[in-house]
Amino acid sequence: MSIDVVILAAGKGTRMRSDLPKVLHPIGGVPMLGRVIESAKQLGRDRELEITVVIGHGAESVREQFAGSGVQFVEQTEQLGTGHAVAQAIPNFRRGATVLVLYGDVPLVKTGTLQSLLSASDKGPALLSVEMANPAGYGRIVRDDAGRVQAIVEEKDADADTLAIREVNTGILAAPADLLSEWLPELSNDNAQGEYYLTDVIARSVSEDIAVTGVRASDPLEVAGVNSRAQQAQLERALQHNRALALMNAGVTLQDPARIDVRGSLECGTDVSIDINCVFEGEVVLGQDVQIGPNCLLKNCRLADGTRVEANSIIEDAEVGQACTIGPFARLRPGTHLADGAKVGNFVETKKAQIGRGSKVNHLSYVGDAIVGDGVNIGAGTITCNYDGVNKSTTEIGDGAFIGSNTALVAPVKVGAGATVGAGSTITREVSTDELAVARGKQRNISGWQRPTKKS
Ligand code: UD1
Ligand code: CA
């Protein structure tokens, strides 16, 4: 069976009150439309699958953002209803295919649910419904006495009896392409909203004696749409809650599962512990026994076994070895590479820096564009002066070197293995192996010096 997925994403999303098209707003760090495309793609593992996205409002930005994702776009210049929207994709329908209609603003739909819908739709339409305690605003599913689906009636077109029905249309539907190609162009807009309703294909199918299957989704969140920032936040919390549960089930300690945000993927070894208010973005991999203190941001990084990150640290695009200590208040910027046992302490910033085994940069330093050997001690307040306003230059520090506090290393510059730099030096020339370099004003002591006194 081949599948033609149609994702509706042309609506304006007025209630978001945003300049960004609604479907580009993120859930769990991924634009809603991106999530829907991913769930759809999973269905294509064992069959032919093509995806068409119907765009309208903000078409250019949506197209741009998903240009490389292997989907096709069709533009719906006027939003005349969901039936009209799907009809725009008819030229992309393949003969004998099954069409699956999804919504760019229903981001948490699961592949398994779509799978059951598809299995139910080889002869006629199958729709995904859900029971709602408060069905206001949704199309109601009308069934006959035998429980067979008869029609979907939109709220604005419904009488009192129909309004009392709590089984509602999620909007998600699967149907043979050949039937939709015939029926959609024949829809009428003679209804309360003057729109071409996709939902009218259900009554049409029944009138042609083609049975409609109703598949019930068990979890309302899975089929919940986002129309406002509040609904977006609600789904974000639901997603984060599920992720936290999954992490705990995998053996991770979360100090508070309500205070972690994973906006990408987080892979953890055994006995990882994560304190409150940590945010994980992109791909983060934590080894065994890694401990993350409170209020940390980790983005696209790997931390090997036994490493500890203390409170309020930020790590981005970095590789960290085993048993390292980072923070509190450290910032590891892109290109930082810590070898096993390295220490980067409070108020230290690193960028494009390799720090060797067991080396320490413990306090108030900036180490950028630097290659630091093993067993090096970099004293408090040391700065690599790596930028002259135009060029970035490299600082190299050999194994076992000792850099005294408050040193400025003016790159390009090298400090040899075992060398020592006196505190407060400004190093502009190479220091050779095992040498001592002192580059600072000589101390003068003036005896008998009188401090000024205040006149009374
Ligand atoms: C639709 C269903 C309703 C269902 C509800 C679930 C119809 C007629 N009604 O109602 O039964 O309970 O969804 O949320 O289908 N869109 C376009 N182009 C259009 C119109 C809509 O792309 O011309 C897109 C919107 O961007 C949105 C989706 O289709 O993502 C649904 O549109 P919306 O107006 O929210 O549908 P409802 O009238 O709420
Ligand atoms: Ca809606």
Side-chain angles (χ1 to χ4, degrees), residues 78-207:
E78 264 187 299
Q79 278 69 59
L80 302 179
T82 50
H84 179 260
V86 177
Q88 308 309 303
I90 291 177
N92 289 355
F93 291 177
R94 289 165 299 167
R95 235 172 205 298
T98 299
V99 172
L100 173 64
V101 179
L102 300 176
Y103 295 75
D105 57 0
V106 179
L108 299 187
V109 68
K110 292 193 190 103
T111 305
T113 306
L114 300 178
Q115 195 79 52
S116 348
L117 197 64
L118 285 171
S119 318
S121 67
D122 52 333
K123 296 214 176 56
L127 59 86
L128 187 64
S129 72
V130 68
E131 292 278 344
M132 282 201 174
N134 174 14
Y138 289 89
R140 308 298 205 278
I141 309 289
V142 180
R143 292 178 185 260
D144 67 10
D145 294 340
R148 289 174 300 213
V149 175
Q150 296 299 296
I152 300 172
V153 178
E154 292 304 297
E155 167 128 340
K156 288 185 178 146
D157 302 296
D159 59 22
D161 284 351
T162 310
L163 287 175
I165 298 172
R166 296 196 328 184
E167 186 189 1
V168 304
N169 176 30
T170 64
I172 294 171
L173 164 149
D178 303 335
L179 295 180
L180 288 182
S181 304
E182 184 190 336
W183 294 344
L184 290 175
E186 292 171 12
L187 288 176
S188 125
N189 65 351
D190 182 14
N191 52 51
Q193 303 184 76
E195 287 182 6
Y196 296 95
Y197 291 165
L198 172 64
T199 46
D200 282 352
V201 303
I202 300 305
R204 170 76 187 259
S205 185
V206 171
S207 78

Side-chain angles (χ1 to χ4, degrees), residues 32-60:
M32 293 195 277
L33 178 57
R35 294 194 158 273
V36 179
I37 290 174
E38 270 322 301
S39 314
K41 278 187 179 167
Q42 303 279 317
L43 293 165
R45 282 211 188 135
D46 42 12
R47 355 167 219 217
E48 266 285 314
L49 180 116
E50 279 180 14
I51 300 176
T52 301
V53 180
V54 182
I55 49 178
H57 283 280
E60 275 327 298

Side-chain angles (χ1 to χ4, degrees), residues 280-286 297-303 315-320:
F280 299 88
E281 295 182 352
E283 281 177 32
V284 175
V285 180
L286 305 180
L297 168 62
L298 275 70
K299 182 174 181 178
N300 294 320
C301 56
R302 302 175 76 89
L303 278 53
I315 303 177
E316 182 179 354
D317 289 316
E319 279 277 335
V320 175

Side-chain angles (χ1 to χ4, degrees), residues 323-380:
C324 291
T325 310
I326 296 164
F329 294 99
R331 180 169 182 213
L332 273 53
R333 290 172 52 206
T336 296
H337 192 304
L338 304 190
D340 297 348
K343 288 189 175 164
V344 173
N346 36 211
F347 305 106
V348 171
E349 175 182 344
T350 63
K351 187 219 73 174
K352 236 179 159 188
Q354 289 178 37
I355 312 282
R357 280 173 167 269
S359 293
K360 295 175 192 166
V361 195
N362 275 339
H363 327 271
L364 300 155
S365 292
Y366 172 63
V367 180
D369 298 300
I371 301 167
V372 177
D374 298 343
V376 170
N377 194 321
I378 295 185

